[in-house]
Amino acid sequence: MFADLVEGLLSDLGRKNGWTMADRAGHATPHRIQKFLGEASWDADALLSEVQDYIDTRLGDEQATLVLDDTQVIKKGTRSVGVAHQHCGSTGDVRNCQVMVMLTYAAEAGHTFYDRRLYLPAAWAGDLPRRRDAGVPEEVGFATKPGLGIAMLQAALARKVPFAWVAADADYGKDPALRAFLHAHAVSYVLAVPVTLPLAGPPGKPRQPAVTCAGDLPHYAAGRDQWERRSQGEGSKGQRYYDWTWFEVALPGQDPAEGFAHHLLIRRSTAKKQHAGGRIDFEYAYFLVHHRGEAALPEAVRRAGVRWKIEENNETAKQITGLGHYQVRRWNSWHRHVTCSMLALAFLTVQRAHHPEPEPDAVPHETPEQADEAGKARQPEEGSPCR
């Protein structure tokens, strides 16, 4: 059954659920695959360890980045484990969905999912009958999404996974417990943060207020005018060019690890945009960087761009390896299906890394000036100034 399931996830089926994969394998009904996912005696965490060993061996890179993010699968009803009316990032509103927190391993050779945690909302965590029906283990309680991220990073450190940086979006970057964990383990990171992140930076000058949050620093950046135009990485429409600058800052109550420093990296659109209310201004985004003294702005920009690799993994896994196609409701079944989907994605990633496609004919790269003219900067503003 394991071979039939994984081959089905790797196949060209449009939908990869019990019925379609059973039909492909020549089974009269989906019962055997459903039983394998729900009732058979095997350990999804043991399979996950095998997947991680495979990634470490085939893609392992001391300069890799671990990327945290969550993704959602829209579901009907109330019985599927963890399903609730909650924010759905894929639609941008509140939907009945399940949320999975994922960890991507992004190396030079390729990027793929490395770990997973199912988010159990507080309403689920305290509902004993529903927990029992869904097979949620007694030891599993409520944990925030950043808390689940910490658990995965802790497991990666215990495995001695080769990596150099951690990256995540603002939902994780604003969490002080996650930052404290990375400081305690002397891990370099570049975390998107909200405009309201409390910090201290250059002291106030005449007619310029003291810095109390991230949104205060563009005043100083405009004054010194030391922006560097750099690409954040390759996008669907070419290189993503922005203007960048950074300041050394202090986080109130959170010191960096010994030998490390904190910088606030500011990303500015290459042209002014029209905002709500008709205001014309640049768009800004903010990243907190925790790094050893030798790190430089170009490296921080590159690591900030690596964060998008997990978005690519989310899209690829949902479209190609059936990440969200499951028809299971219980805790064990969910972890088994998702781990098998991760195995399929890891296999495809490794095959691509070791059997690259032939290089196409050389195409001239877009220049920063061309990007400026075409208005390539299209990332949404992280928030409004905190004052």
Side-chain angles (χ1 to χ4, degrees), residues 40-53:
S41 179
W42 64 281
D43 188 345
D45 287 340
L47 175 61
L48 176 66
S49 182
E50 294 288 338
V51 173
Q52 292 171 338
D53 287 342

Side-chain angles (χ1 to χ4, degrees), residues 84 222 318:
K318 288 180 178 179

Side-chain angles (χ1 to χ4, degrees), residues 229-230 232 237-244 267-273 282-284 366 368 370-381:
R229 185 158 299 180
R230 294 183 175 274
Q232 193 176 359
K237 298 181 180 179
Q239 295 292 327
R240 300 193 298 263
Y241 282 103
Y242 298 93
D243 292 331
W244 302 84
R267 187 186 73 196
R268 187 183 73 179
S269 58
T270 58
K272 291 186 176 182
K273 309 289 182 180
F282 293 105
E283 291 180 341
Y284 295 94
E366 182 181 58
Q370 290 170 330
D372 193 1
E373 293 173 2
K376 292 297 182 182
R378 63 188 193 284
Q379 296 302 319
E381 188 176 10

Side-chain angles (χ1 to χ4, degrees), residues 110-127:
H111 52 91
T112 189
F113 288 136
Y114 195 84
D115 204 348
R116 77 290 185 263
R117 294 289 190 278
L118 177 64
Y119 173 67
L120 201 66
W124 264 88
D127 190 335

